[in-house]
Coordinates of all heavy atoms in Angstrom, one line a residue:
F1 N 152.1 41.8 170.6 CA 150.7 42.0 170.2 C 150.2 40.9 169.3 O 150.3 41.0 168.1 CB 150.6 43.4 169.4 CG 151.0 44.6 170.2 CD1 152.2 45.2 169.9 CD2 150.1 45.1 171.2 CE1 152.6 46.3 170.6 CE2 150.5 46.3 171.9 CZ 151.7 46.9 171.6
P2 N 149.6 39.9 169.9 CA 149.2 38.7 169.1 C 148.2 39.2 168.0 O 148.1 38.6 166.9 CB 148.5 37.8 170.1 CG 149.0 38.3 171.4 CD 149.3 39.7 171.3
R3 N 147.4 40.2 168.2 CA 146.4 40.6 167.2 C 147.0 41.6 166.2 O 146.3 42.0 165.3 CB 145.2 41.3 167.9 CG 144.4 40.3 168.7 CD 143.3 41.0 169.5 NE 144.0 41.8 170.5 CZ 143.4 42.6 171.3 NH1 142.2 42.9 171.2 NH2 144.1 43.3 172.3
G4 N 148.2 41.9 166.4 CA 148.9 42.8 165.4 C 148.7 44.3 165.8 O 147.7 44.6 166.3
R5 N 149.7 45.0 165.5 CA 149.6 46.5 165.8 C 150.7 47.1 164.9 O 151.8 46.5 164.7 CB 149.9 46.7 167.3 CG 149.9 48.2 167.7 CD 148.7 48.5 168.4 NE 148.5 49.9 168.6 CZ 148.4 50.5 169.7 NH1 148.3 49.8 170.8 NH2 148.2 51.8 169.8
H6 N 150.4 48.3 164.4 CA 151.4 48.9 163.6 C 152.1 50.0 164.4 O 151.5 50.9 165.0 CB 150.8 49.6 162.4 CG 151.8 50.3 161.5 ND1 152.7 49.6 160.7 CD2 152.0 51.6 161.2 CE1 153.4 50.4 160.1 NE2 153.0 51.6 160.3
V7 N 153.4 49.9 164.5 CA 154.2 50.9 165.2 C 155.2 51.5 164.2 O 156.0 50.7 163.6 CB 155.0 50.3 166.4 CG1 155.9 51.3 167.0 CG2 154.0 49.7 167.4
R8 N 155.2 52.8 164.0 CA 156.1 53.4 163.0 C 157.5 53.5 163.6 O 157.6 53.7 164.8 CB 155.6 54.8 162.6 CG 154.3 54.7 161.8 CD 153.8 56.0 161.5 NE 152.7 55.8 160.6 CZ 152.3 56.7 159.7 NH1 153.0 57.8 159.5 NH2 151.3 56.5 158.9
L9 N 158.5 53.5 162.8 CA 159.9 53.6 163.3 C 160.5 54.7 162.5 O 160.5 54.8 161.3 CB 160.6 52.3 163.0 CG 162.1 52.2 163.5 CD1 162.2 52.4 165.0 CD2 162.7 50.9 163.1
Y10 N 161.1 55.7 163.2 CA 161.7 56.9 162.7 C 163.1 57.0 163.1 O 163.5 56.5 164.2 CB 161.0 58.1 163.1 CG 159.6 58.3 162.6 CD1 158.5 57.9 163.4 CD2 159.3 58.8 161.4 CE1 157.2 58.1 163.0 CE2 158.0 58.9 160.9 CZ 157.0 58.6 161.7 OH 155.7 58.7 161.3
V11 N 163.9 57.7 162.3 CA 165.3 58.2 162.7 C 165.3 59.7 162.7 O 164.8 60.3 161.7 CB 166.3 57.6 161.8 CG1 167.7 58.2 162.1 CG2 166.4 56.1 161.8
A12 N 165.7 60.3 163.8 CA 165.7 61.8 163.8 C 167.2 62.2 164.1 O 167.8 61.8 165.1 CB 164.8 62.3 164.9
P13 N 167.7 63.1 163.2 CA 169.1 63.5 163.3 C 169.4 64.2 164.6 O 170.6 64.2 165.0 CB 169.4 64.3 162.1 CG 168.0 64.7 161.5 CD 167.0 63.7 162.0
E14 N 168.5 65.0 165.2 CA 168.8 65.8 166.4 C 168.5 65.0 167.7 O 168.8 65.6 168.7 CB 168.0 67.1 166.3 CG 168.4 67.9 165.1 CD 167.8 69.3 165.2 OE1 167.6 69.8 166.3 OE2 167.5 69.8 164.1
L15 N 168.0 63.8 167.6 CA 167.6 63.1 168.8 C 168.9 62.5 169.4 O 169.8 62.0 168.7 CB 166.6 62.0 168.4 CG 165.8 61.4 169.5 CD1 164.9 62.4 170.1 CD2 164.9 60.3 168.9
R16 N 168.9 62.5 170.7 CA 170.1 61.9 171.4 C 169.8 60.5 172.0 O 170.8 59.8 172.3 CB 170.5 62.8 172.6 CG 171.1 64.1 172.0 CD 171.7 65.0 173.2 NE 171.5 66.4 172.8 CZ 170.8 67.3 173.5 NH1 170.3 67.0 174.6 NH2 170.7 68.5 173.0
A17 N 168.6 60.2 172.3 CA 168.2 59.0 172.9 C 166.9 58.5 172.3 O 166.1 59.3 171.8 CB 168.0 59.1 174.4
P18 N 166.6 57.2 172.3 CA 165.4 56.7 171.7 C 164.2 57.2 172.5 O 164.3 57.4 173.7 CB 165.5 55.2 171.7 CG 166.8 54.9 172.4 CD 167.5 56.1 172.7
V19 N 163.1 57.3 171.8 CA 161.8 57.8 172.5 C 160.6 57.1 171.8 O 160.7 56.9 170.6 CB 161.7 59.3 172.4 CG1 161.6 59.8 171.0 CG2 160.6 59.9 173.2
S20 N 159.7 56.8 172.6 CA 158.4 56.3 172.1 C 157.3 57.3 172.3 O 157.3 58.0 173.4 CB 158.1 54.9 172.7 OG 158.1 55.0 174.1
F21 N 156.4 57.5 171.4 CA 155.4 58.5 171.6 C 154.1 58.1 170.7 O 154.2 57.2 169.9 CB 155.9 59.9 171.1 CG 156.4 59.9 169.7 CD1 155.5 60.3 168.7 CD2 157.7 59.6 169.4 CE1 156.0 60.4 167.4 CE2 158.1 59.7 168.1 CZ 157.3 60.0 167.1
G22 N 153.1 58.8 171.0 CA 151.8 58.5 170.2 C 150.8 57.7 171.0 O 151.2 56.7 171.6
F23 N 149.6 58.2 171.0 CA 148.5 57.4 171.6 C 147.7 56.6 170.6 O 147.5 55.4 170.8 CB 147.6 58.4 172.3 CG 148.3 59.4 173.2 CD1 148.0 60.8 173.0 CD2 149.2 59.0 174.2 CE1 148.7 61.7 173.8 CE2 149.8 59.9 174.9 CZ 149.6 61.3 174.8
L24 N 147.3 57.3 169.5 CA 146.5 56.6 168.5 C 147.4 56.0 167.4 O 147.1 54.9 166.9 CB 145.5 57.6 167.9 CG 144.6 58.2 168.9 CD1 143.7 59.3 168.2 CD2 143.7 57.2 169.6
R25 N 148.5 56.7 167.1 CA 149.4 56.1 166.1 C 150.8 56.0 166.8 O 151.6 56.9 166.7 CB 149.5 57.1 164.9 CG 148.2 57.1 164.1 CD 148.2 57.9 162.9 NE 149.4 58.7 162.7 CZ 149.4 59.8 162.0 NH1 148.3 60.3 161.4 NH2 150.5 60.5 161.8
P26 N 151.0 54.9 167.4 CA 152.3 54.8 168.2 C 153.5 54.8 167.3 O 153.5 54.3 166.1 CB 152.1 53.5 168.9 CG 151.1 52.7 168.1 CD 150.2 53.7 167.5
A27 N 154.6 55.3 167.8 CA 155.8 55.4 167.0 C 157.0 55.3 167.9 O 156.9 55.7 169.1 CB 155.9 56.7 166.2
I28 N 158.1 54.9 167.4 CA 159.4 54.9 168.1 C 160.4 55.6 167.2 O 160.4 55.5 166.0 CB 159.9 53.4 168.3 CG1 159.0 52.6 169.2 CG2 161.4 53.4 168.8 CD1 159.3 51.2 169.3
C29 N 161.1 56.5 167.8 CA 162.1 57.3 167.1 C 163.5 57.1 167.7 O 163.6 57.1 169.0 CB 161.7 58.8 167.2 SG 162.7 59.8 166.0
V30 N 164.5 56.8 166.9 CA 165.8 56.5 167.4 C 166.8 57.5 166.8 O 166.6 58.1 165.7 CB 166.2 55.1 167.1 CG1 165.3 54.1 167.7 CG2 166.3 54.8 165.6
P31 N 167.9 57.8 167.5 CA 168.9 58.6 167.0 C 169.7 57.9 165.9 O 169.8 56.6 165.9 CB 169.8 59.0 168.2 CG 169.6 57.8 169.1 CD 168.2 57.3 168.9

C-alpha cells in the first residue's frame, strides 16, 4: 500500500490457523 494503510495484528489463543478479516478496519489474527 504505497499510500499507507493500518492493519491490526492480533494473537488469539483458540485460533488454529491465521485469518484476515475486517472491511473498514482490516486485521490479521494468528495463532
Side-chain angles (χ1 to χ4, degrees):
F1 298 104
R3 293 175 288 173
R5 179 105 193 234
H6 181 70
V7 176
R8 292 178 175 209
L9 181 61
Y10 294 98
V11 175
E14 295 187 35
L15 200 61
R16 291 185 212 122
V19 64
S20 54
F21 59 92
F23 311 126
L24 302 175
R25 294 184 350 206
I28 295 172
C29 193
V30 298

